[in-house]
Amino acid sequence: MSKNEKCAWEKYDEQGIKEIFDFNEGYKNFMSLCKTERECVKETIRIAEENGYKNLDDVIKNGEALKAGDKVYANNMDKAIALFIVGERPMEDGMKILGAHIDSPRLDLKQNPLYEDTDLALLETHYYGGIKKYQWVTLPLAIHGVVCKKDGTKVDIVIGEDDNDPVIGISDLLVHLAQTQQEKKANKVIEGEDLNVLVGSIPLKGEEKDAVKANILKILNDKYGIEEEDFLSAELEIVPAGKARDYGIDRSMVMAYGHDDRVCSYSSLMAMLKVDKIDKTCVCLLVDKEEIGSVGATGMQSKFFENTVAEVMDRVGDYSDIKLRRALKNSKMLSSDVSAAFDPNYPSVMEKKNSAYFGKGLVFNKYTGSRGKGGCNDANPEFIAELRAIMDKHDVAFQTAELGKVDQGGGGTIAYILANYNMEVIDCGVALHNMHAPWEVASKVDIYEAMKGYYAFLLEA
């Protein structure tokens, strides 16, 4: 379906639209629960196990064999996960892979974050990923994450999501005193070191020095049993507080934190759950650290995926190094990541014939990159032709796009990393407004078409 054809909503009758809305209720619930990569992995495991998936570690530990139709998942440090459905054909014939990322732009607490200034307690942060810093002030914010204590215990923390919870936030300068501030460039209006979160103002009685900070520490100790020193081994993220919501008077869109890239993660997972027995092994790969270059042990550049494929092949009883290489080379992948939707408020940065639009379905980006396609995976036309045929066969609305005008900007995904194995890869996801802002917006029908497209790919590629 090209951008010049009918809006995807027009394909559906009343029952079809109800199915779209019902699907998005599940998505909104996922987005409200899962605001960190750890929460995404935890919820994905819960959903997967309900649908018959077993932990690959248990399969290895028990010396179990895997056969066609078996479903397993591999958990990478609670921050990335890979789900496999073993196919009928040998794995060296290649896999069908849906790959997305579950990290999103945010503010991370520094390792020594808590301090007091003029009888106010604040937390210092370091922003994660590409953000417009001025968008994060005066918002209700929440704390999500984990504190790891020296005795080995982990304490999960969520503050600001329950209706009875307090929220926290970052102040901005009042407009009456902002003349100098408003003369600054947008990237300097709020400096990174000024993204300090206000968390308290009541002093602890009996304390003479830093009494407000002491009171915050007492509250945290009473509720979570943690000390100030425990911040050293904590992973605490500051995210927008509040649930995903219907957006638009017609409820046609979803507003949520972290559409990039949990919208593709969720739709990939739901597509995977629809698959039962299959010809080639299918994979849903959800990884961390994409927003900062896919580095680290839980990012796509780690050996986690390659090693896990080797373990699955071993349990199938058909592992060798050369067969592993062939399995990766012969695979096909949709790098499930978001794209920028045309916004009539900002038409100057987009080229209309090659932009994505709300309501036009799944978006294929032949290339991303920036200024001369720098850093991109440029998909082969043979692969695109195959995908066009698959989408048409399954009546999936789709469109093609690039990320803005040629010299305007650009971006990247995990596509190029998987392409290093010499497999066919293309970027393919949902178009957004407000990408990388605290609250992003996506079309419900596009989210639904993404799930349908990913499912069609798993069936046919």
Side-chain angles (χ1 to χ4, degrees):
M1 175 178 175
S2 75
K3 290 181 287 295
N4 296 320
E5 294 184 28
K6 290 182 179 180
C7 177
W9 286 107
E10 297 182 42
K11 293 196 306 175
Y12 294 98
D13 58 15
E14 186 175 339
Q15 179 58 35
I17 291 175
K18 181 180 184 302
E19 290 176 9
I20 293 169
F21 275 65
D22 288 346
F23 180 81
N24 277 275
E25 287 304 305
Y27 174 60
K28 287 190 299 179
N29 183 62
F30 181 87
M31 294 298 284
S32 298
L33 287 172
C34 302
K35 293 191 175 181
T36 70
E37 56 277 21
R38 287 178 182 269
E39 290 167 347
C40 288
V41 168
K42 183 179 179 180
E43 181 65 5
T44 297
I45 290 173
R46 184 193 68 78
I47 293 170
E49 289 183 343
E50 282 186 354
N51 285 271
Y53 281 77
K54 297 189 294 185
N55 190 329
L56 181 60
D57 287 342
D58 293 337
V59 171
I60 295 169
K61 181 179 178 180
N62 298 329
E64 300 174 29
L66 293 175
K67 62 185 185 304
D70 284 347
K71 302 174 182 180
V72 293
Y73 68 85
N75 176 4
N76 185 16
M77 303 181 185
D78 294 333
K79 295 171 72 174
I81 187 169
L83 295 86
F84 291 76
I85 301 175
V86 179
E88 300 279 354
R89 291 170 59 176
M91 288 183 67
E92 68 176 300
D93 288 353
M95 299 165 283
K96 296 182 274 194
I97 305 167
L98 300 173
H101 67 92
I102 50 178
D103 61 313
S104 295
R106 60 178 189 259
L107 307 178
D108 287 340
L109 292 194
K110 293 185 178 183
Q111 285 190 283
N112 293 293
L114 184 60
Y115 71 101
E116 181 173 331
D117 190 339
T118 58
D119 298 326
L120 298 175
L122 300 103
L123 295 168
E124 291 186 312
T125 69
H126 191 133
Y127 62 89
Y128 172 97
I131 67 169
K132 292 181 177 179
K133 296 184 285 291
Y134 65 78
Q135 293 179 332
W136 287 78
V137 299
T138 74
L139 293 177
L141 300 174
I143 303 175
H144 288 236
V146 63
V147 177
C148 300
K149 302 173 70 173
K150 287 190 294 184
D151 63 5
T153 59
K154 290 184 180 181
V155 182
D156 291 321
I157 291 180
V158 177
I159 302 172
E161 299 294 354
D162 187 273
D163 288 342
N164 294 318
D165 279 355
V167 294
I168 55 178
I170 302 167
S171 61
D172 193 11
L173 189 61
L174 62 161
V175 68
H176 310 75
L177 301 178
Q179 180 176 338
T180 301
Q181 182 195 46
Q182 293 188 104
E183 292 171 354
K184 295 181 180 180
K185 290 184 177 181
N187 64 346
K188 296 292 185 182
V189 168
I190 301 294
E191 299 280 0
E193 287 291 350
D194 295 334
L195 291 171
N196 303 311
V197 184
L198 181 60
V199 295
S201 61
I202 298 176
L204 182 64
K205 290 184 178 180
E207 291 288 330
E208 294 185 4
K209 183 180 179 183
D210 292 342
V212 179
K213 173 184 172 181
N215 192 45
I216 295 299
L217 288 171
K218 182 179 185 302
I219 291 169
L220 292 175
N221 184 261
D222 289 346
K223 185 167 184 178
Y224 299 106
I226 59 175
E227 308 283 348
E228 183 173 11
E229 186 181 340
D230 293 325
F231 281 118
L232 296 176
S233 51
E235 193 170 76
L236 296 171
E237 303 176 12
I238 305 298
V239 299
K243 296 179 179 180
R245 301 279 299 274
D246 284 345
Y247 194 83
I249 294 173
D250 57 2
R251 299 181 179 269
S252 61
M253 297 162 281
V254 175
M255 181 188 74
Y257 163 68
H259 279 315
D260 181 9
D261 184 36
R262 292 169 194 145
V263 65
C264 297
S265 300
Y266 181 82
S267 48
S268 294
L269 174 61
M270 292 300 106
M272 189 76 167
L273 297 181
K274 288 167 66 72
V275 174
D276 194 11
K277 289 197 173 182
I278 197 72
D279 55 348
K280 292 183 179 180
T281 295
C282 292
V283 183
C284 179
L285 177 61
L286 309 179
V287 296
D288 184 25
K289 299 291 195 293
E290 191 275 343
E291 297 294 357
I292 57 171
S294 297
V295 294
T298 55
M300 192 64 244
Q301 296 200 54
S302 80
K303 296 294 185 182
F304 163 69
F305 179 59
E306 181 180 328
N307 292 345
T308 303
V309 172
E311 293 284 7
V312 173
M313 294 181 74
D314 182 63
R315 290 297 89 202
V316 172
D318 195 28
Y319 170 78
S320 70
D321 184 69
I322 191 63
K323 288 183 177 180
L324 172 63
R325 303 295 154 203
R326 290 170 182 162
L328 293 166
K329 174 185 179 295
N330 292 329
S331 293
K332 296 176 180 178
M333 180 196 182
L334 298 184
S335 173
S336 309
D337 209 339
V338 296
S339 189
F342 183 85
D343 188 337
N345 279 330
Y346 307 98
S348 64
V349 299
M350 309 293 276
E351 194 264 293
K352 283 191 173 183
K353 294 192 304 298
N354 290 286
S355 295
Y357 293 83
F358 274 0
K360 299 291 186 180
L362 185 59
V363 184
F364 287 98
N365 291 91
K366 185 180 189 296
Y367 47 83
T368 54
S370 60
R371 296 174 180 85
K373 299 185 180 180
C376 80
N377 166 68
D378 202 339
N380 292 317
E382 294 88 348
F383 187 37
I384 298 172
E386 177 187 353
L387 293 170
R388 287 174 58 202
I390 290 172
M391 298 302 132
D392 286 348
K393 178 179 178 180
H394 289 265
D395 191 30
V396 176
F398 72 92
Q399 55 187 316
T400 60
E402 58 184 44
L403 197 60
K405 288 184 175 178
V406 172
D407 284 331
Q408 192 65 46
T413 68
I414 64 172
Y416 75 98
I417 303 169
L418 275 297
N420 287 337
Y421 290 113
N422 205 30
M423 68 175 72
E424 294 277 20
V425 183
I426 190 170
D427 288 303
C428 174
V430 176
L432 303 181
H433 279 180
N434 308 349
M435 191 191 301
H436 279 218
W439 295 104
E440 300 168 319
V441 179
S443 165
K444 287 184 177 180
V445 74
D446 294 342
I447 298 168
Y448 188 71
E449 293 292 338
M451 181 276 294
K452 285 180 57 182
Y454 295 155
Y455 178 57
F457 169 80
L458 293 178
L459 290 181
E460 303 285 351

